[in-house]
PDB file of all heavy atoms in Angstrom:
ATOM      1  N   GLY A  28     111.931  70.396  67.615  1.00  0.00           N
ATOM      2  CA  GLY A  28     111.556  71.279  68.681  1.00  0.00           C
ATOM      3  C   GLY A  28     111.647  72.747  68.318  1.00  0.00           C
ATOM      4  O   GLY A  28     110.813  73.596  68.658  1.00  0.00           O
ATOM      5  N   ILE A  29     112.735  73.077  67.665  1.00  0.00           N
ATOM      6  CA  ILE A  29     112.967  74.437  67.247  1.00  0.00           C
ATOM      7  C   ILE A  29     111.894  74.927  66.230  1.00  0.00           C
ATOM      8  O   ILE A  29     111.334  75.965  66.282  1.00  0.00           O
ATOM      9  CB  ILE A  29     114.401  74.627  66.733  1.00  0.00           C
ATOM     10  CG1 ILE A  29     115.397  74.497  67.824  1.00  0.00           C
ATOM     11  CG2 ILE A  29     114.541  75.990  65.979  1.00  0.00           C
ATOM     12  CD1 ILE A  29     116.819  74.463  67.365  1.00  0.00           C
ATOM     13  N   ARG A  30     111.577  73.969  65.288  1.00  0.00           N
ATOM     14  CA  ARG A  30     110.581  74.250  64.302  1.00  0.00           C
ATOM     15  C   ARG A  30     109.216  74.479  64.892  1.00  0.00           C
ATOM     16  O   ARG A  30     108.460  75.455  64.581  1.00  0.00           O
ATOM     17  CB  ARG A  30     110.432  73.158  63.268  1.00  0.00           C
ATOM     18  CG  ARG A  30     111.484  73.298  62.111  1.00  0.00           C
ATOM     19  CD  ARG A  30     111.206  72.320  61.034  1.00  0.00           C
ATOM     20  NE  ARG A  30     112.164  71.234  61.258  1.00  0.00           N
ATOM     21  CZ  ARG A  30     112.009  69.932  60.986  1.00  0.00           C
ATOM     22  NH1 ARG A  30     110.869  69.529  60.422  1.00  0.00           N
ATOM     23  NH2 ARG A  30     112.875  69.058  61.217  1.00  0.00           N
ATOM     24  N   ILE A  31     108.893  73.685  65.868  1.00  0.00           N
ATOM     25  CA  ILE A  31     107.608  73.867  66.576  1.00  0.00           C
ATOM     26  C   ILE A  31     107.579  75.176  67.313  1.00  0.00           C
ATOM     27  O   ILE A  31     106.556  75.873  67.294  1.00  0.00           O
ATOM     28  CB  ILE A  31     107.334  72.605  67.544  1.00  0.00           C
ATOM     29  CG1 ILE A  31     107.066  71.372  66.658  1.00  0.00           C
ATOM     30  CG2 ILE A  31     106.153  72.952  68.465  1.00  0.00           C
ATOM     31  CD1 ILE A  31     106.966  70.079  67.533  1.00  0.00           C
ATOM     32  N   ALA A  32     108.628  75.547  68.058  1.00  0.00           N
ATOM     33  CA  ALA A  32     108.739  76.806  68.752  1.00  0.00           C
ATOM     34  C   ALA A  32     108.554  77.965  67.789  1.00  0.00           C
ATOM     35  O   ALA A  32     107.843  78.872  68.108  1.00  0.00           O
ATOM     36  CB  ALA A  32     110.062  76.857  69.479  1.00  0.00           C
ATOM     37  N   LYS A  33     109.160  77.900  66.645  1.00  0.00           N
ATOM     38  CA  LYS A  33     109.071  78.959  65.596  1.00  0.00           C
ATOM     39  C   LYS A  33     107.563  79.062  65.146  1.00  0.00           C
ATOM     40  O   LYS A  33     107.074  80.186  64.920  1.00  0.00           O
ATOM     41  CB  LYS A  33     109.968  78.720  64.433  1.00  0.00           C
ATOM     42  CG  LYS A  33     111.415  79.050  64.754  1.00  0.00           C
ATOM     43  CD  LYS A  33     112.282  78.795  63.496  1.00  0.00           C
ATOM     44  CE  LYS A  33     113.747  79.088  63.812  1.00  0.00           C
ATOM     45  NZ  LYS A  33     114.598  78.867  62.603  1.00  0.00           N
ATOM     46  N   MET A  34     106.906  77.945  64.950  1.00  0.00           N
ATOM     47  CA  MET A  34     105.593  77.965  64.511  1.00  0.00           C
ATOM     48  C   MET A  34     104.646  78.556  65.537  1.00  0.00           C
ATOM     49  O   MET A  34     103.638  79.203  65.179  1.00  0.00           O
ATOM     50  CB  MET A  34     105.121  76.564  64.065  1.00  0.00           C
ATOM     51  CG  MET A  34     105.705  76.106  62.749  1.00  0.00           C
ATOM     52  SD  MET A  34     105.023  74.590  62.093  1.00  0.00           S
ATOM     53  CE  MET A  34     104.954  73.453  63.447  1.00  0.00           C
ATOM     54  N   LEU A  35     104.887  78.299  66.809  1.00  0.00           N
ATOM     55  CA  LEU A  35     104.011  78.850  67.872  1.00  0.00           C
ATOM     56  C   LEU A  35     104.372  80.268  68.274  1.00  0.00           C
ATOM     57  O   LEU A  35     103.538  80.882  68.877  1.00  0.00           O
ATOM     58  CB  LEU A  35     104.145  77.915  69.076  1.00  0.00           C
ATOM     59  CG  LEU A  35     103.647  76.503  68.859  1.00  0.00           C
ATOM     60  CD1 LEU A  35     103.951  75.694  70.163  1.00  0.00           C
ATOM     61  CD2 LEU A  35     102.203  76.543  68.521  1.00  0.00           C
ATOM     62  N   ALA A  36     105.571  80.718  67.931  1.00  0.00           N
ATOM     63  CA  ALA A  36     105.942  82.095  68.332  1.00  0.00           C
ATOM     64  C   ALA A  36     105.075  83.186  67.746  1.00  0.00           C
ATOM     65  O   ALA A  36     104.661  84.146  68.358  1.00  0.00           O
ATOM     66  CB  ALA A  36     107.404  82.311  67.986  1.00  0.00           C
ATOM     67  N   LEU A  37     104.848  83.072  66.396  1.00  0.00           N
ATOM     68  CA  LEU A  37     103.978  84.036  65.718  1.00  0.00           C
ATOM     69  C   LEU A  37     102.541  84.154  66.269  1.00  0.00           C
ATOM     70  O   LEU A  37     102.033  85.219  66.586  1.00  0.00           O
ATOM     71  CB  LEU A  37     104.003  83.867  64.259  1.00  0.00           C
ATOM     72  CG  LEU A  37     103.226  84.838  63.392  1.00  0.00           C
ATOM     73  CD1 LEU A  37     103.897  86.275  63.608  1.00  0.00           C
ATOM     74  CD2 LEU A  37     103.295  84.487  61.961  1.00  0.00           C
ATOM     75  N   PRO A  38     101.856  83.097  66.451  1.00  0.00           N
ATOM     76  CA  PRO A  38     100.517  83.113  67.042  1.00  0.00           C
ATOM     77  C   PRO A  38     100.507  83.667  68.414  1.00  0.00           C
ATOM     78  O   PRO A  38      99.581  84.408  68.816  1.00  0.00           O
ATOM     79  CB  PRO A  38      99.994  81.709  66.981  1.00  0.00           C
ATOM     80  CG  PRO A  38     100.734  81.028  65.897  1.00  0.00           C
ATOM     81  CD  PRO A  38     102.054  81.657  65.918  1.00  0.00           C
ATOM     82  N   ALA A  39     101.489  83.233  69.188  1.00  0.00           N
ATOM     83  CA  ALA A  39     101.658  83.779  70.619  1.00  0.00           C
ATOM     84  C   ALA A  39     101.846  85.244  70.616  1.00  0.00           C
ATOM     85  O   ALA A  39     101.196  86.026  71.366  1.00  0.00           O
ATOM     86  CB  ALA A  39     102.700  83.077  71.323  1.00  0.00           C
ATOM     87  N   ALA A  40     102.678  85.787  69.754  1.00  0.00           N
ATOM     88  CA  ALA A  40     102.977  87.206  69.737  1.00  0.00           C
ATOM     89  C   ALA A  40     101.695  87.960  69.226  1.00  0.00           C
ATOM     90  O   ALA A  40     101.384  89.044  69.697  1.00  0.00           O
ATOM     91  CB  ALA A  40     104.136  87.524  68.704  1.00  0.00           C
ATOM     92  N   ALA A  41     101.044  87.429  68.181  1.00  0.00           N
ATOM     93  CA  ALA A  41      99.781  88.026  67.720  1.00  0.00           C
ATOM     94  C   ALA A  41      98.737  88.060  68.834  1.00  0.00           C
ATOM     95  O   ALA A  41      98.000  89.081  68.969  1.00  0.00           O
ATOM     96  CB  ALA A  41      99.286  87.229  66.502  1.00  0.00           C
ATOM     97  N   GLY A  42      98.628  86.935  69.585  1.00  0.00           N
ATOM     98  CA  GLY A  42      97.705  86.935  70.693  1.00  0.00           C
ATOM     99  C   GLY A  42      98.014  87.987  71.721  1.00  0.00           C
ATOM    100  O   GLY A  42      97.134  88.668  72.302  1.00  0.00           O
ATOM    101  N   ALA A  43      99.294  88.171  72.029  1.00  0.00           N
ATOM    102  CA  ALA A  43      99.684  89.218  73.022  1.00  0.00           C
ATOM    103  C   ALA A  43      99.329  90.630  72.547  1.00  0.00           C
ATOM    104  O   ALA A  43      98.931  91.406  73.288  1.00  0.00           O
ATOM    105  CB  ALA A  43     101.236  89.053  73.269  1.00  0.00           C
ATOM    106  N   VAL A  44      99.590  90.846  71.195  1.00  0.00           N
ATOM    107  CA  VAL A  44      99.248  92.127  70.686  1.00  0.00           C
ATOM    108  C   VAL A  44      97.711  92.419  70.762  1.00  0.00           C
ATOM    109  O   VAL A  44      97.272  93.430  71.134  1.00  0.00           O
ATOM    110  CB  VAL A  44      99.737  92.257  69.180  1.00  0.00           C
ATOM    111  CG1 VAL A  44      99.132  93.509  68.545  1.00  0.00           C
ATOM    112  CG2 VAL A  44     101.256  92.285  69.185  1.00  0.00           C
ATOM    113  N   VAL A  45      96.910  91.396  70.401  1.00  0.00           N
ATOM    114  CA  VAL A  45      95.464  91.557  70.474  1.00  0.00           C
ATOM    115  C   VAL A  45      94.991  91.775  71.930  1.00  0.00           C
ATOM    116  O   VAL A  45      94.127  92.612  72.185  1.00  0.00           O
ATOM    117  CB  VAL A  45      94.779  90.339  69.829  1.00  0.00           C
ATOM    118  CG1 VAL A  45      93.300  90.277  70.120  1.00  0.00           C
ATOM    119  CG2 VAL A  45      94.973  90.231  68.322  1.00  0.00           C
ATOM    120  N   LEU A  46      95.571  91.081  72.824  1.00  0.00           N
ATOM    121  CA  LEU A  46      95.217  91.236  74.272  1.00  0.00           C
ATOM    122  C   LEU A  46      95.632  92.714  74.697  1.00  0.00           C
ATOM    123  O   LEU A  46      94.752  93.353  75.350  1.00  0.00           O
ATOM    124  CB  LEU A  46      95.980  90.221  75.080  1.00  0.00           C
ATOM    125  CG  LEU A  46      95.690  90.272  76.579  1.00  0.00           C
ATOM    126  CD1 LEU A  46      94.251  89.962  76.892  1.00  0.00           C
ATOM    127  CD2 LEU A  46      96.583  89.349  77.360  1.00  0.00           C
TER     128      LEU A  46
END
Side-chain angles (χ1 to χ4, degrees):
I29 291 171
R30 274 189 262 151
I31 291 172
K33 284 181 181 179
M34 287 191 310
L35 293 177
L37 183 60
V44 168
V45 168
L46 180 63

